[in-house]
Amino acid sequence: MITVLWVSLAALGIWFSIVLARDFWAHRTSLEDSSWLKTSVIGFVVNFFDVLGIGAFAPQTALLKFTKQTKDKHIPGTMNVANTLPVLFQALIFITIIEVEPITLVTMFISAALGAVLGAGIVAKMSEKKIRLVMGFALLVTAFFMMATSLDWIQGGGEAIGLTGTKLVIALIANFGLGALMTAGIGLYAPCMALVFALGMSPQVAFPIMMGSCAFLMPPASVRFIREKAYNRKAAVAMAIPGIVAVGLAAFVVKSLPLDVLRWVVIAVILYTSGVMLHGGFTHKENVDSD
């Protein structure tokens, strides 16, 4: 089963890379005004701490917003495209080292991917005003799950490495929804971990499930964003390459850090960014040219 998953992830990675490379090359003379340096640093930092449990989407949204590296409308697509290859690398690592019952693992991957394909099509066509509102509320949801984890509000967990019956059905429906919401900027990691705990599974099992779910949902979702031209090409490529390096460094060299203080700083930044997004969404009129 591990071999099948490896081959599947590799195939998805190759397909996504070809689509991205073709699109980037076709528009190489008309790239955005983003900074190669700033976006590369952002890609490295968020993917490094993603492996260690902080999560990437929420801090990445804040950093892209504050450094003005892309339009608000393009943030969801840019993050999905930029983080696809780093997340595939994460999934390959954790699927290999942590055992999960195969049926549970594979079906949760499929449900998340199906949700993402649906979600990406909707988000890619949304106006900038709606994107701001959706991302503002998404960041609030992310901050809540991070706070709940830090304050031990989320209770549960057990020794199970798989699910059956009603619990499996609940997990599949929930992961479908999380896959769809991820394309709008709600990171899957924190709510997926809460779901795993609530269903009585081992906390360790959360890592291959949430990373693998993202790895299977992000290539099709990101290809949808690419084809809809709903992302920042320059920023996405600049964040993706150092992001892969950051994943390897965090997983094989650093492995763990004392992150409690940093997590609270990130929560504060996320809440502030959420406020900025919501204010912009509620008060700014829609532009005639939404591109």
Side-chain angles (χ1 to χ4, degrees):
M1 179 58 69
I2 297 298
T3 302
V4 172
L5 291 175
W6 267 69
V7 172
S8 300
L9 289 173
L12 284 171
I14 293 170
W15 170 56
F16 165 78
S17 298
I18 292 172
V19 174
L20 176 60
R22 285 177 174 173
D23 186 68
F24 186 85
W25 183 255
H27 297 87
R28 64 190 183 282
T29 59
S30 57
L31 295 176
E32 299 83 355
D33 293 330
S34 307
S35 165
W36 284 109
L37 177 60
K38 290 179 181 178
T39 49
S40 294
V41 171
I42 291 172
F44 183 91
V45 170
V46 299
N47 279 287
F48 180 86
F49 288 108
D50 193 36
V51 178
L52 300 177
I54 291 293
F57 271 25
Q60 195 167 22
T61 300
L63 290 169
L64 289 172
K65 177 74 173 174
F66 293 148
T67 58
K68 299 179 180 179
Q69 292 305 300
T70 189
K71 296 178 181 179
D72 290 349
K73 179 181 179 178
H74 290 159
I75 289 178
T78 302
M79 292 194 302
N80 274 275
V81 174
N83 295 331
T84 294
L85 292 177
V87 167
L88 281 166
F89 190 20
Q90 288 184 38
L92 288 172
I93 295 169
F94 283 92
I95 287 172
T96 303
I97 63 177
I98 298 176
E99 181 184 1
V100 185
E101 192 272 320
I103 297 298
T104 300
L105 194 66
V106 172
T107 54
M108 289 190 74
F109 291 170
I110 294 172
S111 64
L114 292 174
V117 172
L118 172 65
I122 296 172
V123 173
K125 293 180 174 63
M126 290 172 65
S127 66
E128 188 164 26
K129 179 183 177 68
K130 290 178 180 177
I131 287 288
R132 286 175 174 172
L133 291 173
V134 169
M135 294 200 69
F137 285 114
L139 289 170
L140 284 178
V141 172
T142 302
F144 168 78
F145 278 109
M146 291 183 70
M147 290 177 64
T149 301
S150 297
L151 295 173
D152 293 326
W153 292 348
I154 299 175
Q155 300 296 326
E159 301 299 325
I161 62 170
L163 298 170
T164 58
T166 303
K167 285 187 175 182
L168 180 58
V169 173
I170 293 171
L172 297 181
I173 294 172
N175 228 32
F176 178 91
L178 293 178
L181 291 172
M182 185 170 170
T183 62
I186 298 181
L188 181 141
Y189 282 13
C192 185
M193 184 173 288
L195 174 67
V196 167
F197 285 4
L199 293 174
M201 299 183 74
S202 167
Q204 279 192 327
V205 169
F207 285 89
I209 288 177
M210 64 191 185
M211 291 175 178
S213 294
C214 290
F216 276 93
L217 73 84
M218 290 179 78
S222 295
V223 166
R224 188 74 180 267
F225 279 118
I226 292 171
R227 289 175 175 167
E228 296 285 349
K229 297 179 173 56
Y231 80 114
N232 183 312
R233 296 177 183 88
K234 185 176 179 180
V237 171
M239 289 189 288
I241 297 171
I244 296 170
V245 176
V247 169
L249 181 64
F252 297 117
V253 180
V254 178
K255 297 184 180 179
S256 64
L257 287 173
L259 298 173
D260 289 343
V261 174
L262 177 60
R263 186 173 285 109
W264 282 108
V265 171
V266 170
I267 290 171
V269 172
I270 290 170
L271 290 172
Y272 178 79
T273 308
S274 173
V276 172
M277 286 284 192
L278 290 173
H279 180 268
F282 283 120
T283 61
H284 291 183
K285 291 184 179 180
E286 198 72 80
N287 294 327
V288 175
D289 180 9
S290 60
D291 294 331

